[in-house]
């Protein structure tokens, strides 16, 4: 055996061993179920088989001189080499498409077009014993190339270029590690081919391919950092990076988020110290419908399914049917540690980018705690939009408290008799840098549910006290500053002491603070509320009943709670302008509150005619856009200066 043959065999042997290592590790680490895993293994098998056939064909070469049968065997091995080798470039092409998540579900003719070079070269090879189009042996058993082999090279070149172009087009959508690993793969493979082309005795092609595959095994195929150990599906980081990359490629996606809302409670009942086992059972159930590569375990109680949408992707699961299946499954018990348990699901279905525009949006949706009324349901479309908005607002409130994004606006109130400044109502605003400016009608109910309302009200009260402490309101001749309180909070434990604790720090007259509450408590709680009001009033604070006439307030409340001022809601005033019945209601409200000896403030005053109407009825104070919208503290001070100036001119 010549040294050249041994030299060739050493290359093949090295390629063979490297490939064997890759295959063994991949199988050992169970990275075999995803479609790109399968293609990766297939590439390894191809290189392995090629290395084996080349090794034996090379070894047989000296023997062909001895016996023609060896020559036949060598010819057969070479044929087998070509049959297998033709599949390498197409497999690489499909592998890259898979890793870059480029759709493979094209119309039939395109699918055929993609496979055409492969099919063509295979036919050439299979027919070679009869046609010798690819290669032939002369009478001395020497190997000769024919035009068919060039066709195989051209086909491989086409697939490689297509795969490379695809890689470049998906560059931004790939994880950094994968980008460089794939580029390295291409460079090393091309290097191997070029070296072998320059010097036929350096059999570097298969060896470089095998080495480049090791690179892929260590990077693209190694998803340890993306996998959740318990459920063996992807983790939160994987979801973040996949969504980011799919968004970069402008892909549409369906998202299904399954949350189990009673998981904490279940953990306590069953004695399972963590929720992993429950989620493992749920993930196993989901995996019977969909491949694991579309599932992500993002939080203790949350699994997300990400379905890339394709116009050609007809036979993939219908997401709504799937949601209904899951929902129905959850109506039955789950066997957890031998105990039959009912798990409460919330299933949200949305699509990217119509309903969910960004990764932040998606995270709001999947991370947001589920309010009780949404439990055990499927949330779609408006429900989902409502839920996402709610989640975004909740996040804005929480960030706003941390980063000082709340601001108190002032809306002046005026005496009706001489239209002089009477006071101001503090109205809170939230300036969020993600979803913009928010109004209290939207965020206060959410803050109440999410437990932030105490912090907000404390913030407002501190602002008010600080403003009173400056002495400016007194100088401006104001009687009081109105502060809104949430009734829920008023009835919390230690509320009176908390208020006193804050206000006492400032050493200000308490009768400068006028608390506004909207009556919305059930009859049984009146007594408690009455006690709170009584106690605070005995300390000097004033109280107003807000939004009188909106349907919440009733006579009983007016009698039992000792308000200084009743604020008639703007809708009553506006209705009075629209109809005679409206006018009768307004007149009767005013008449009745007057008889109860309470002062009256009317909100929502916007026009002269409304002021005249109220003058005729004889109320005490006015508030509304006629005077000013709620404005910042600086704007409010300027407003006060301007009306002072006007007044001094008239005098
Ligand atoms: P509210 O106490 O009834 O406040 C009056 C609302 O009517 C304010 O809306 C104000 O901007 C608006 N308004 C006043 N005059 C006019 C007018 O002439 N025309 C029209 N179209 N609207 C007028 P805003 O500021 O959005 O506040 C909404 C509600 O949020 C308030 O209703 C109050 O219940 C609550 N709120 C505001 N600030 C706070 C706060 O600091 N704490 C609590 N707990 N609730 C607050
Ligand atoms: Ca109010
Ligand atoms: Ca009001």
């Amino acid at each position: 055996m010549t040294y050249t043959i041994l030299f060739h065999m050493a290359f093949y042997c090295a390629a063979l061993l490297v490939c064997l290592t890759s295959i063994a590790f991949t199988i050992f680490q169970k990275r075999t179920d995803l479609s790109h895993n399968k293609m990766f293994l297939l590439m390894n098998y191809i290189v392995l088989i090629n290395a084996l056939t080349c090794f034996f064909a090379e070894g047989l070469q000296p023997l062909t001189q001895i016996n023609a049968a060896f020559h036949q065997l060598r010819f057969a091995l070479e044929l087998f080499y070509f049959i297998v080798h033709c599949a390498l470039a197409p497999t690489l092409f499909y592998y890259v498409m898979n890793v870059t998540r480029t759709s493979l579900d094209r119309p039939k003719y395109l699918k055929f077009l993609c496979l055409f070079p492969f099919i063509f070269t295979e036919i050439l090879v299979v027919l070679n014993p009869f046609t010798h189009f690819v290669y032939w042996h002369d009478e001395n058993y020497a190997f000769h190339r024919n035009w068919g082999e060039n066709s195989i090279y051209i086909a491989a070149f086409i697939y490689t270029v297509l795969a490379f172009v695809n890689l470049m087009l998906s560059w931004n959508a790939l994880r950094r590690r994968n980008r460089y690993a794939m580029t390295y793969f291409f460079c090393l493979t091309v290097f191997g081919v070029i070296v072998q082309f320059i010097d036929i005795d350096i059999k570097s092609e298969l060896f470089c391919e095998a080495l480049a595959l090791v690179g892929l095994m260590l990077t693209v195929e190694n998803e340890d950092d993306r996998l959740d150990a318990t459920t063996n599906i992807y983790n939160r980081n994987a979801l973040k990076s996949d969504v980011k990359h799919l968004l970069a490629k402008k892909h549409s996606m369906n998202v299904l988020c399954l949350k189990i809302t009673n998981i904490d409670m279940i953990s306590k009942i069953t004695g399972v110290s963590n929720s992993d086992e429950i989620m493992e059972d749920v993930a196993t159930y989901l995996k019977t419908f969909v491949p694991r590569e579309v599932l992500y375990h993002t939080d203790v109680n949350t699994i997300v399914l990400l379905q890339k949408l394709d116009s050609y992707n007809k036979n993939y699961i219908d997401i709504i049917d799937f949601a209904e299946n899951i929902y129905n499954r959850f109506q039955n018990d789950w066997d957890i540690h031998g105990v039959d348990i009912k798990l409460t699901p919330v299933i949200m279905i949305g699509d990217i980018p119509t309903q969910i525009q960004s990764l932040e949006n998606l995270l709001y949706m999947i991370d947001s705690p589920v309010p009780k009324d949404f439990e055990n349901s499927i949330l779609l479309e408006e429900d989902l939009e409502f839920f996402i908005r709610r989640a975004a607002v909740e996040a804005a409130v929480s960030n706003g408290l941390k980063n000082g994004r709340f601001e108190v606006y002032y809306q002046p109130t005026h005496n009706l008799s001489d239209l002089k400044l009477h006071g101001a109502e503090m109205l809170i605003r939230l300036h969020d840098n993600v979803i913009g400016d928010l109004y209290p009608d939207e965020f206060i109910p959410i803050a109440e549910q999410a437990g932030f309302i105490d912090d907000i009200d404390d913030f407002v009260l501190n602002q008010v006290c600080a403003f009173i402490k400056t002495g400016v309101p007194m100088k401006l001749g104001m009687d009081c500053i109105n502060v809104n309180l949430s009734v829920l909070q008023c009835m919390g434990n230690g509320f009176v002491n908390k208020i006193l604790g804050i206000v006492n720090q400032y050493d200000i007259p308490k009768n400068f603070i006028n608390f506004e509450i909207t009556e919305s408590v059930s009859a049984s709680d009146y007594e408690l509320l009455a006690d709170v009001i009584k106690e605070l009033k005995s300390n000097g604070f004033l109280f107003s009943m807000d939004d009188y006439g909106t349907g919440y307030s009733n006579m009983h409340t007016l009698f039992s709670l000792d308000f200084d001022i009743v604020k008639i809601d703007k809708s009553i005033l506006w209705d009075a302008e629209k109809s005679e019945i409206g006018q009768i209601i307004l007149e009767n409200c005013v008449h009745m509150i007057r008889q109860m000896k309470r002062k009256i403030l009317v909100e929502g005053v916007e026009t002269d005619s409304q002021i005249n109407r109220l003058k005729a009825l004889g109320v005490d104070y006015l508030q509304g856009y006629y005077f000013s919208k709620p404005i910042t503290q600086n704007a409010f001070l300027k407003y006060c200066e301007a009306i002072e100036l006007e007044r001094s001119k008239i005098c």
Side-chain angles (χ1 to χ4, degrees):
M1 218 180 270
T2 66
Y3 280 118
T4 321
I5 290 176
L6 282 177
F7 185 60
H8 293 175
M9 287 173 80
F11 266 106
Y12 297 135
C13 190
L16 202 140
L17 290 176
V18 173
C19 266
L20 267 181
T21 315
S22 288
I23 293 169
F25 265 81
T26 305
I27 293 173
F28 179 67
Q29 301 219 314
K30 296 201 180 90
R31 294 182 200 143
T32 51
D33 58 336
L34 302 184
S35 33
H36 66 83
N37 296 157
K38 291 187 179 117
M39 271 171 232
F40 172 77
L41 274 177
L42 183 59
M43 283 195 286
N44 270 293
Y45 289 134
I46 292 172
V47 178
L48 180 88
I49 292 169
N50 277 175
L52 265 176
T53 43
C54 287
F55 182 84
F56 286 118
E58 199 74 34
L60 283 176
Q61 209 178 321
L63 302 178
T64 48
Q65 310 293 339
I66 305 166
N67 190 327
F70 288 119
H71 168 243
Q72 297 301 330
L73 189 58
R74 198 177 140 222
F75 194 88
L77 281 174
E78 279 164 359
L79 190 72
F80 189 53
Y81 167 88
F82 278 110
I83 290 176
V84 176
H85 196 66
C86 284
L88 184 59
T91 313
L92 167 69
F93 168 72
Y94 283 101
Y95 177 76
V96 174
M97 298 279 277
N98 224 284
V99 172
T100 58
R101 294 181 179 238
T102 309
S103 170
L104 299 169
D105 301 285
R106 300 274 168 225
K108 277 207 171 87
Y109 73 94
L110 261 178
K111 269 188 187 170
F112 178 72
L113 216 64
C114 284
L115 282 175
F116 178 75
F118 169 65
I119 297 171
F120 175 72
T121 50
E122 285 292 347
I123 292 173
L124 273 185
V125 173
V126 173
L127 295 180
N128 191 63
F130 316 105
T131 62
H132 295 168
F133 285 158
V134 180
Y135 68 95
W136 51 282
H137 288 180
D138 62 19
E139 54 281 5
N140 299 322
Y141 306 124
F143 178 92
H144 292 279
R145 288 177 177 164
N146 205 349
W147 61 268
E149 191 174 342
N150 294 340
S151 308
I152 294 174
Y153 272 109
I154 292 169
F157 179 74
I158 292 172
Y159 280 117
T160 313
V161 169
L162 284 179
F164 192 71
V165 169
N166 183 269
L167 174 68
M168 289 300 124
L169 290 178
S170 314
W171 192 254
N172 289 335
L174 280 178
R175 289 188 292 149
R176 251 186 76 190
R177 211 174 62 174
N178 289 2
R179 282 178 200 168
Y180 297 121
M182 309 254 288
T183 316
Y184 175 75
F185 177 88
F186 279 104
C187 295
L188 200 59
T189 314
V190 171
F191 174 76
V193 174
I194 292 175
V195 169
Q196 187 165 334
F197 188 76
I198 295 170
D199 186 341
I200 189 80
D201 279 333
I202 304 176
K203 300 289 183 197
S204 52
E205 185 184 333
L206 285 174
F207 178 61
C208 285
E209 279 162 4
L211 265 190
L213 283 170
V214 174
L216 294 185
M217 182 187 75
L218 292 173
T219 52
V220 182
E221 296 302 302
N222 178 1
E223 296 203 298
D224 289 354
D225 57 334
R226 287 168 53 84
L227 280 179
D228 176 63
T230 31
T231 51
N232 200 31
I233 56 179
Y234 286 146
N235 59 23
R236 187 182 176 87
N237 281 341
L239 177 77
K240 284 205 231 160
S241 97
D242 288 354
V243 170
K244 220 163 79 195
H245 294 140
L246 286 168
L247 277 171
K249 283 198 90 178
K250 301 206 166 30
H251 273 305
S252 303
M253 288 162 264
N254 265 336
V255 177
L256 182 148
C257 170
L258 166 67
K259 263 176 184 285
I260 296 161
T261 53
N262 60 341
I263 206 154
D264 285 348
M265 206 205 14
I266 301 294
S267 298
K268 277 181 206 142
I269 298 171
T270 55
V272 184
S273 59
N274 56 46
S275 325
D276 287 351
E277 290 176 43
I278 297 175
M279 291 319 273
E280 202 184 331
D281 281 3
V282 174
T284 311
Y285 165 73
L286 294 176
K287 277 190 272 183
T288 57
F289 295 94
V290 288
R292 78 165 166 88
E293 61 195 289
V294 299
L295 295 172
Y296 302 80
H297 184 201
T298 59
D299 200 356
V300 187
N301 65 345
T302 311
I303 291 182
V304 173
L305 176 143
L306 201 65
Q307 181 188 35
K308 210 181 88 189
L309 290 178
D310 258 307
S311 42
Y312 304 108
N313 216 344
K314 298 277 192 291
N315 48 5
Y316 204 20
I317 52 154
D318 179 305
I319 199 100
I320 306 216
D321 277 358
F322 183 48
E324 274 163 9
N325 275 343
I326 303 175
Y327 180 81
N328 292 336
R329 168 68 189 87
F330 275 84
Q331 301 317 303
N332 298 320
D333 288 348
W334 292 74
D335 177 2
I336 291 151
H337 270 238
V339 184
D340 282 343
I341 298 279
K342 197 154 242 136
L343 299 175
T344 315
V346 170
I347 304 165
M348 298 170 225
I349 302 174
D351 72 303
I352 299 177
T354 321
Q355 287 166 305
I356 307 161
Q357 289 83 10
S358 61
L359 177 62
E360 284 75 30
N361 254 219
L362 176 68
L363 295 179
Y364 281 145
M365 175 180 125
I366 64 175
D367 290 342
S368 164
V370 181
K372 274 259 170 280
D373 7 339
F374 287 116
E375 281 181 1
N376 207 9
S377 57
I378 302 178
L379 301 181
L380 289 165
E381 295 167 3
E382 284 109 47
D383 283 346
L384 183 80
E385 270 163 38
F386 177 77
F387 183 83
I388 294 174
R389 175 75 188 174
R390 196 196 168 284
V393 172
E394 191 179 317
V397 170
S398 161
N399 290 336
L401 282 168
K402 277 185 223 134
N403 306 324
R405 299 204 153 267
F406 281 96
E407 189 180 5
V408 170
Y409 274 41
Y410 296 61
Q411 188 178 32
T413 58
H414 286 259
N415 296 326
L416 176 85
S417 53
D418 52 6
L419 296 188
K420 265 177 135 180
L421 187 67
H422 160 254
E425 179 178 359
M426 307 276 113
L427 294 158
I428 190 143
R429 302 286 181 262
L430 171 55
H431 309 293
D432 185 64
N433 49 2
V434 181
I435 49 174
D437 284 354
L438 294 172
Y439 287 84
D441 273 341
E442 182 176 21
F443 69 75
I444 293 278
I446 294 173
E448 281 180 341
Q449 279 181 19
F452 294 120
I453 193 68
D454 281 7
D455 294 335
I456 295 177
D457 282 349
D458 290 358
F459 167 77
V460 177
L461 191 57
N462 274 296
Q463 295 279 305
V464 173
C465 293
F467 183 55
I468 298 173
K469 183 82 182 161
T470 60
V472 174
M474 291 82 172
K475 264 189 237 148
L476 291 168
M478 289 163 77
D479 286 348
C480 60
I481 305 277
N482 287 24
V483 181
N484 291 285
L485 282 183
S486 118
V487 176
L488 274 177
Q489 193 208 353
C490 289
M491 296 194 298
N493 276 342
F495 176 71
V496 173
N497 287 340
K498 194 188 79 172
I499 296 282
L500 289 174
I502 295 176
V503 179
N504 285 339
Q505 285 171 21
Y506 290 85
D507 187 25
I508 48 171
K510 296 194 179 67
N511 61 2
F512 230 86
I513 298 179
N514 188 327
F515 289 121
E516 295 189 5
I517 33 180
T518 306
E519 194 284 303
S520 59
V521 272
S522 66
S524 60
D525 293 327
Y526 287 158
E527 273 178 31
L528 181 56
L529 189 60
D531 284 348
V532 170
I533 294 178
K534 210 164 133 196
E535 212 176 327
L536 284 173
K537 277 183 72 96
S538 70
N539 276 280
F541 295 101
L542 302 176
F543 268 86
S544 291
M545 167 180 266
D546 205 355
D547 300 341
Y548 179 76
T550 48
Y552 286 128
S553 349
N554 62 29
M555 304 309 140
H556 182 263
T557 325
L558 270 183
F559 280 115
S560 43
L561 306 175
D562 186 15
F563 290 107
D564 300 282
I565 298 176
V566 176
K567 296 182 75 170
I568 296 183
D569 191 70
K570 43 189 175 283
S571 60
I572 304 280
L573 173 66
W574 297 345
D575 285 351
E577 286 206 305
K578 283 189 216 142
S579 71
E580 211 167 301
I581 295 176
Q583 172 67 16
I584 294 170
I585 294 174
L586 175 67
E587 278 171 17
N588 278 296
C589 281
V590 173
H591 189 66
M592 193 184 67
I593 304 167
R594 219 155 251 306
Q595 282 189 328
M596 289 179 201
K597 309 235 169 346
R598 309 277 199 262
K599 296 267 188 208
I600 302 172
L601 183 151
V602 181
E603 294 181 323
V605 177
E606 294 183 346
T607 61
D608 278 320
S609 86
Q610 287 168 342
I611 297 193
N612 292 334
R613 190 179 294 266
L614 293 168
K615 267 191 180 147
L617 286 175
V619 302
D620 302 284
Y621 312 111
L622 306 174
Q623 178 181 353
Y625 291 180
Y626 178 84
F627 302 99
S628 168
K629 288 190 170 180
I631 43 181
T632 61
Q633 192 184 66
N634 279 343
F636 177 68
L637 293 177
K638 282 198 188 114
Y639 169 85
C640 296
E641 264 172 41
I643 50 174
E644 271 302 301
L645 202 72
E646 192 108 328
R647 192 162 292 280
S648 60
K649 271 191 210 153
I650 295 168
C651 295

